[in-house]
Amino acid sequence: MTTERDFGAPRRTATSPVQSAQMDLEAQSPAFSRMRSSTVGTDDAFSPHRPESGVGSQRRPKRSNTAKSYKPRQQWQPGQEPGIDTQSPNDGRPTSHLLELNQPCEITVVDFSQDDMLEHYLDNNTLEGFLDRKRGDWVRCRWFNVHGISWDVIKLLGNHKGLHRLAVEDLMNPKNRTKADWYSNHTYIVLTLQKLVHTYFESEDDSDLGDGEPENGSPDRQKMEARRRKEARQWFTTSLKSLLSPPKPKRKVLVNSPRSIDPLKEPHDTTNGFASAGSSESIKGTAKPIRTLQRYFGGPNKERIDFMERKSALAPKCLGVSVEQVSIFLTDDNTVISFFESSAEDIETPLIARLKARETILRLSCDASMVMQAIMDAIIDLAIPVVTAYQDAIGDLELDVLTQPDIHHTTALYVLNSEISLLRSTIQPIVSLLNALRDHKSEPIGTPGLSGRPPRFTSSNVVISSMTHTYLGDVEDHCILITQGLDQMKHAGDSMIDLIFNTIGAYQNESLKQLTLITMMFLPLTFLTGYFGMNFVRFTGVNNNSDLYFWWIAIPVMIVTVLFLTRDMIKRSVIRTVQRRMIKQSREQRVKDEAHGRGRHA
């Protein structure tokens, strides 16, 4: 008989105090541990030895200079218990930490089968009552789509589906590597979402502009560009006034760059804070807190983040890139649970439209793994406008570099390459994630036993259907195309940086060449001027001749000196001219011979 170590979630009900061979010790809840300790009697013979209190038994306190963390966050402490148990009140952690992660969530539940589809719109307060109701027999697949990260919602869904404590901890951590963790009754998938957003919002004075991006040449577009040029001209004056006097509060503000939000008001990310932005489809709308590309990867140095955002290649176009973590749970009862920080609507809208149509593959399959594939496919599709925006930005930089290269372009290209590298670091791991999902086998896989022990079998009840395997390949193709485009842009940026330095170096060499030629021309004149300007008592050549006597001597000397110093350059020029003339004559003769041959064949 083989035993299986369960990497799944803790059992919610325990009928026996005896430890099961299939129970994961890491996943046990503290309540179960307390029940077991109270049932099994204690024995002094097997109890650990406790030294008697005394001077000799006390450990001497030592002073430690270990830095537990650099600018630590309240959510993490070194040496704490891994994972978060949703069944425990606080899992041995400060209750305030879990309660701080609380925000209103918009929860959409979609129940569907081939014959019917039903939507439920819930929030933090109505979710518990919905989970208490029995799932309808007609429901073949269920999808929970959660907009927002809140502890009370995570706890309810974690207890309802028995989510593993390690997966819950990764869900609450806003920065994880792209991966797929397999447990006995569910799979946890985490990846990053990138989308294009507007970082420009209108004040009350600009309410006359229409919705959407104004077209080129339209009055609204001209008005917006004129306002931007005016603000650019007033930048120096505004900066000088802000240094000399404290800023005065303004009643109406135009936002042309991401605005920082107090990190204390967003407890689930106290490192980089948030910025305000809107949908990429319109420059007019309500600002939403997002994490920009630099804020997501920038670390604790806020000054660097602000500088990189101001110098971003998309900043002149009032655009930015929003990056957030997406967590997906695929359970063995054909249910999908997805968590989004701020982009749930972007994914939910097209998927619900597909589920409403009876003839779509997503509706006919009634497969939770296909819903997972559709979510991942929509996430990758949101990254395509980001790549297009950077292609447009690097095209503008390329025109500037080719027409008027300047050393200041290297700063813009460095920032651009940095952002492209960050984007690639979020897209490339998704390819490995897709391969892991396609290679997953639900059947138990045996591993060789150690030290003569019987082999151990691990398994997961989550099934990835063959249809999902096929369509995950399409998502992988999109990822590879995006990665290749980012690699091409990064290579183009590096090449333009080399071109700038080479061009500037060539200009400097040309300037030095011209300066050298002028110096060679005036070198003999300077010598002769010094010679004839000496205070000799008797200077027959000067006394008996006019001013032309100087030029009769200076011009031949100058010509001979210039010819002597430029002899190698003249030699190369002559050889190059002769070679070009010979090549030209050879081409003309070949054209004549070919024309003569065609005429003879005709």
Side-chain angles (χ1 to χ4, degrees), residues 340-355:
F340 294 87
E341 296 179 8
S342 60
S343 304
E345 184 179 359
D346 298 329
I347 306 298
E348 176 184 310
T349 303
L351 263 64
I352 290 182
R354 292 170 58 184
L355 289 173

Side-chain angles (χ1 to χ4, degrees), residues 570-586:
I570 295 174
K571 179 181 178 181
R572 290 193 300 268
S573 178
V574 171
I575 294 175
R576 185 166 57 249
T577 303
V578 172
Q579 290 176 346
R580 288 181 177 178
R581 180 168 296 181
M582 294 174 60
I583 292 173
K584 182 179 180 181
Q585 292 177 355
S586 176

